Structures are given as structure tokens and as C-alpha cells.
Amino acid sequence: MKLRHYHHHLLLLLLCCSFTETIEPISTSIAVGVAAALTGFLARYQNIFHYFQECCRPEWISFNKTALQADLESKLFGQHVASRIILKAVNGFMTNDNPKKPLVLSLHGWTGTGKNFVSGLIADSVYKEGMDSRFVHVFTSELHFPHASQIDNYKSQLQQWIKGNVTNCERSMFIFDEMDKMHPGLIDSIKPYLDYYDKLDGVSYRKAIFIFLSNAGGDSIIQTALDFWKEGRNREEMELKDLETSLSLSVFNNKKSGLWHTSLIDKNLVDFFVPFLPLEYCHVVQCALSAMADRELEPDLKVADQVARDLVYFPKSERIFSVKGCKTIDSKLDYYT
């Protein structure tokens, strides 16, 4: 019997059981028989439900390194440093059956450089439902934590949200967007969940993933990129060691950032500070061509070139880096196509 027939059979059994309270006493034996049949069916085919509704099981949560690597190589442009870090960090964490702490990534760079996009790629590689998975949770500072006067309430709510979701599924992912707009001190409320604890109140957080997205530190990254350009050095020569120290210090000392003087940095609980470099003209062209492909349009290099040329670049005289990265590409395509 095919799977859909099993499912149909189960629905019929459930329907029959719903009428057991209204049947005559003489029919009790029939109800008992139906119940017995249902019990046997559920015992034998209990895993069927895992294929119809997302749950915290390998059928729905299973890391695909090949897919993540392919996406990073073909869909993320101009971010050779970030790509290497993300692939190694996520792969190392997801293939470790006994991690000592959750994976904590802090993604930094100017707008339009790919931070949110990469978060989606990570989710796609881990969860069958990607960003639509009920085990992926996104917090936006201005939406979820708008009022400074309510910070104590936010701390309590945030702790309960994380505890409840990790209790429900240890492979939960939490994405905190706009960290540069978060009230300083708020994120420290989840510090215990990111630390090297086996369990807290009976809950293990060691298999969860936490991703922080922030524009803070972007100026530090841009300065390094400009220094490389002025020295005539190849962009691809840049390595994490050229960026990480100045980036972490910049974020830690930024009073307008949610990571200002945070214990997460002070106690070395952030596994990687991931720098996203400012994008150049050639990267914007790639973004435009990729956007056309996503819309199932014929790639048109002339249109992509026009879209890229019309963006604002800096420094003004040399026009090296795109001010908004690839953020406005979609809307620009609406105008040119």
C-alpha cells in the first residue's frame, strides 16, 4: 500500500474514533477494535508523520556542505575572506557530534555586502525549509527591542525565547539583525547560553547556532581595503588576520553598537568575527547578472554594466567601492529591464 493510502487510512480511523462517545453500548466492541487497529498502525508507522510536518529530526535538519560551498562560490561575490570562514566554521561545527559550545558568528560590514544573504545560505544548508524553518529565529533590534526603557523586560523575554526554542530543538538557529542598533547590554543577557556549559537548568545549548549581523566595524574593514588598494596590493591577498583584530576592537569600543563592551567579546565567546569587504564595480555587475538569472531573464551584460555604473562609489574621485553594495540592484533592474 502506498504512503498516501496509509495517510488516508489513518484519517478514516481518526474520524471513526471521534464518534465513539455517540455510539450505542452494543457497538463498544467495534470502537475497541478500531482503537486497537489505530494503536497498531501508529506503532508501526509512527515515523510517517515526520515526512509531513517539520520536526527536529535528520529528515528536516541535515547539513549539506556541498550545497553551502557551491552557493558561496556561485552566489556570493567579492567576499573571499567571509566565504572561507563561513564554510570552515559551519562545517566544523555541524560535523562535530559533541561541540563544547554553540557556534557564534558575528558578521560585519557595510550595507549590501551580503551579511543577510549569507545567513540565508547557512540556513538553507542546514534546514530543509531554509529560512522558513520553524527552528530558525530572526530578531531585529528596531522591531523586537525598540524601547530603551524596556530593556529589563527584553532581557527576560529573550532568555525565555531562547530557552524555550532550544528545549524544543537543540539544533535551533538564532539570527540577530541590526546589532549596531541594539541597546548596549541587552545581548549580554544570553551570555550563559553561549558559554562552555554542558547544561543549564537541564537544557544543553551546545548544538545551537547564533549569528549576529552588524554594520558596526564596517569603517575598519573599509580602511583596510583602502590601504590594500593604495598600496597596489591585490584584494584577494587580504586574509582574516589582516582584519580580525582591528574589527573586534572597533566593535567592542563602539558605544553605539549592541556589542559595546559586551562580555561575549571580553570572554571570547564569539568564535569568528567575519568581515564583509566593500564591493567593487565588477562585483556589482555580477550581482546584477545573478539577479537577472533569479528572475529567469536572459543575462544582459550591457544592462548589468549600466546598473553598476549608475550606483554611487567612493572615494569620489577614484570610484572604487560601492556605497550600498548590491542592496539596490533589484529595484534598479526594474528600471532598466
Side-chain angles (χ1 to χ4, degrees):
M1 190 180 292
K2 294 183 179 179
L3 185 61
R4 61 175 179 270
H5 294 156
Y6 286 140
H7 190 52
H8 180 64
H9 186 197
L10 177 60
L11 292 176
L12 290 175
L13 289 175
L14 291 173
L15 183 61
C16 291
C17 289
S18 67
F19 289 101
T20 55
E21 292 184 0
T22 63
I23 61 177
E24 297 296 327
I26 194 171
S27 302
T28 301
S29 60
I30 297 176
V32 171
V34 171
L38 178 59
T39 300
F41 177 84
L42 291 177
R44 186 176 180 184
Y45 301 110
Q46 57 182 328
N47 288 334
I48 286 178
F49 293 107
H50 302 314
Y51 293 94
F52 291 99
Q53 183 174 1
E54 186 186 20
C55 57
C56 190
R57 288 173 56 92
E59 291 91 340
W60 296 91
I61 304 175
S62 181
F63 177 59
N64 188 333
K65 177 186 176 182
T66 302
L68 179 59
Q69 184 172 6
D71 283 344
L72 289 171
E73 290 176 354
S74 64
K75 298 179 180 179
L76 183 66
F77 308 114
Q79 303 299 350
H80 67 283
V81 177
S83 292
R84 292 171 190 167
I85 300 171
I86 294 296
L87 183 61
K88 290 183 178 180
V90 178
N91 180 61
F93 179 74
M94 291 300 299
T95 54
N96 184 354
D97 292 331
N98 188 32
K100 301 302 180 184
K101 63 179 288 297
L103 176 63
V104 183
L105 302 174
S106 194
L107 280 49
H108 298 267
W110 270 22
T111 184
T113 52
K115 301 184 297 299
N116 278 285
F117 183 67
V118 163
S119 299
L121 295 184
I122 295 173
D124 288 341
S125 71
V126 175
Y127 303 91
K128 186 177 180 180
E129 297 294 300
M131 287 296 291
D132 292 328
S133 171
R134 63 193 186 97
F135 305 120
V136 176
H137 313 280
V138 181
F139 299 96
T140 303
S141 297
E142 293 187 328
L143 176 63
H144 295 99
F145 318 111
H147 307 296
S149 60
Q150 298 294 314
I151 189 169
D152 289 336
N153 289 333
Y154 296 151
K155 287 181 178 181
S156 177
Q157 291 171 358
L158 188 54
Q159 289 173 342
Q160 291 304 312
W161 284 334
I162 292 177
K163 180 178 180 180
N165 283 301
V166 175
T167 299
N168 183 43
C169 182
E170 62 180 359
R171 284 292 189 190
S172 293
M173 179 185 291
F174 302 93
I175 301 172
F176 292 84
D177 198 4
E178 300 179 342
M179 282 298 298
D180 47 304
K181 299 177 183 177
M182 181 176 283
H183 307 297
L186 175 56
I187 202 63
D188 278 343
S189 64
I190 68 170
K191 182 255 181 187
Y193 305 142
L194 310 187
D195 216 328
Y196 293 83
Y197 292 113
D198 184 26
K199 289 184 178 180
L200 291 172
D201 294 331
V203 180
S204 174
Y205 298 85
R206 294 182 300 164
K207 292 186 177 182
I209 297 176
F210 292 81
I211 302 177
F212 303 128
L213 312 179
S214 177
N215 291 343
D219 291 344
S220 171
I221 297 170
I222 287 172
Q223 187 58 55
T224 301
L226 278 173
D227 290 342
F228 264 69
W229 176 76
K230 290 176 181 177
E231 294 169 9
R233 300 173 66 184
N234 194 315
R235 175 192 181 94
E236 278 65 38
E237 292 179 24
M238 263 186 282
E239 300 178 12
L240 179 60
K241 65 182 181 180
D242 297 313
L243 298 148
E244 190 172 36
T245 300
S246 60
L247 174 58
S248 60
L249 286 174
S250 173
V251 172
F252 185 75
N253 292 314
N254 187 336
K255 291 185 178 181
K256 296 182 179 180
S257 169
L259 293 171
W260 178 65
H261 283 196
T262 177
S263 61
L264 305 188
I265 297 177
D266 194 34
K267 300 299 182 181
N268 298 310
L269 298 181
V270 176
D271 296 299
F272 291 98
F273 288 91
V274 185
F276 281 71
L277 303 174
L279 299 182
E280 299 178 14
Y281 162 82
C282 61
H283 305 127
V284 178
V285 170
Q286 289 177 298
C287 287
L289 292 172
S290 179
M292 291 179 198
D294 289 341
R295 296 187 181 193
E296 299 184 349
L297 298 174
E298 189 71 25
D300 189 328
L301 186 58
K302 184 177 180 180
V303 171
D305 173 73
Q306 189 62 53
V307 169
R309 288 181 182 280
D310 282 357
L311 296 185
V312 178
Y313 292 82
F314 71 96
K316 287 185 178 181
S317 56
E318 294 87 355
R319 287 172 51 88
I320 303 300
F321 301 121
S322 170
V323 171
K324 294 184 178 180
C326 288
K327 196 173 185 68
T328 60
I329 292 299
D330 277 337
S331 59
K332 293 288 184 182
L333 282 179
D334 291 334
Y335 178 76
Y336 289 105
T337 57

